[in-house]
Amino acid sequence: MVRASSAFSDSKRHFLILDALRGIAAIVVVLFHFLEVYSGGDHIKQFINHGYLAVDFFFMLSGFVMAHAYDDRWNKMTVKDFFKRRLIRLHPMIIFGMTLGAICFYFGESTFFPKIADTSVWQLILITLIGYTLIPVPPSMDIRGWSEMHPLNGPAWSLFFEYFANILHVLVLRKLSKTILSVLVFMAGIALVHLAVTSPNGDIIGGWSLEPEQLRIGFTRLMFPYMAGMLLRRVVTVVEGRNTFLLSGFLLVVVLSFPRLGGYDNLWINGIYDSLSVILVFPVVIYLGAIGKVKSGIFQKICMVLGDISYPIYIIHFPITYIFYAWVTNNNIPLGQGVLIGMLILIGTVILSFIALKKYDEPLRNWLANRFTTNNLK
């Protein structure tokens, strides 16, 4: 393990391969979203078909990392300290992403986003200020037309659930025995399978809207992977030294890019794929990443960069994607040209993410950490 980007001098050493896997998953999400416009809203036609499962992988990885980083420190750290650290780690880029969403908003005007044309500047300012808090807005306040709880930056819905998981972690989950946590993981796994196989679309896509059914999907997608990640860290002894970077990365990419299963007649088959990927494959991927050690200096740098930019890529790519959707829709851009421009945008997003990390996120987090926290944990 080596130390990656962190605002806290007393942070535990990171699992370098797990950091890299987070970056790989973030890049797959960007590609998934860029190509989504060509599916016509048909999940079966979606390219990189299971890219949405990256969110579930993030949740499981978060549970694992949170248990690793904090669960042996509660005799030295208060609940208030924990929440300060989570806010400092996550919120600067949330504000950056919402600001970028506001800047890009009117450039996304198209039939794809029917409410943009009728949105006033004052409405945009209000939604931006609310977005800074990560408080979700109801469909009645939607200014884009997709009923997103964060219409300036859709993927921020998963950060809303991440914060909920962190609150549940510190108030309840960390206090549970392995037995009780195992029972809850089992029950959450059953709920996840039920969601997947009964879904009208044959998948677990959803969670981004402040509507009852969407909230059910979001909480179901959150609870199993997050608690399973915690449990995995508690029960598995991590012995480093094996070369698992390529294997774990390959497995993750295969799962996220695997073609749709079952077609239109047997949607439940794809639901089985979704649930088993989360329940069986992702724990294996995380375990392989945790026990791995990168010995090559070049690969160490690649893994560190992937880990450092993973969160910025994820939280800033969608405002740019909105503009890409509008461009494709307004101009009937064919797939070949769209893929070419999309790849260029991906490169630009990576560059922007790195700049945001180094010039904004890291300096601000370091200042906030020095101002509001005490780095004395061991």
Side-chain angles (χ1 to χ4, degrees), residues 36-54:
E36 192 171 18
V37 68
Y38 288 102
S39 70
D42 188 337
H43 295 189
I44 293 177
K45 296 180 180 179
Q46 173 69 44
F47 296 96
I48 311 181
N49 200 279
H50 293 88
Y52 54 87
L53 292 177

Side-chain angles (χ1 to χ4, degrees), residues 169-189:
H169 187 134
V170 69
L171 297 181
V172 179
L173 297 179
R174 68 179 176 88
K175 303 176 183 179
L176 302 179
S177 67
K178 287 190 289 187
T179 300
I180 295 177
L181 185 60
S182 298
V183 171
L184 293 178
V185 168
F186 178 77
M187 294 172 61

Side-chain angles (χ1 to χ4, degrees), residues 196-214:
V197 299
T198 61
S199 166
N201 295 314
D203 54 44
I204 58 174
I205 294 177
W208 54 77
S209 179
L210 202 62
E211 298 172 317
E213 179 60 20
Q214 285 292 308

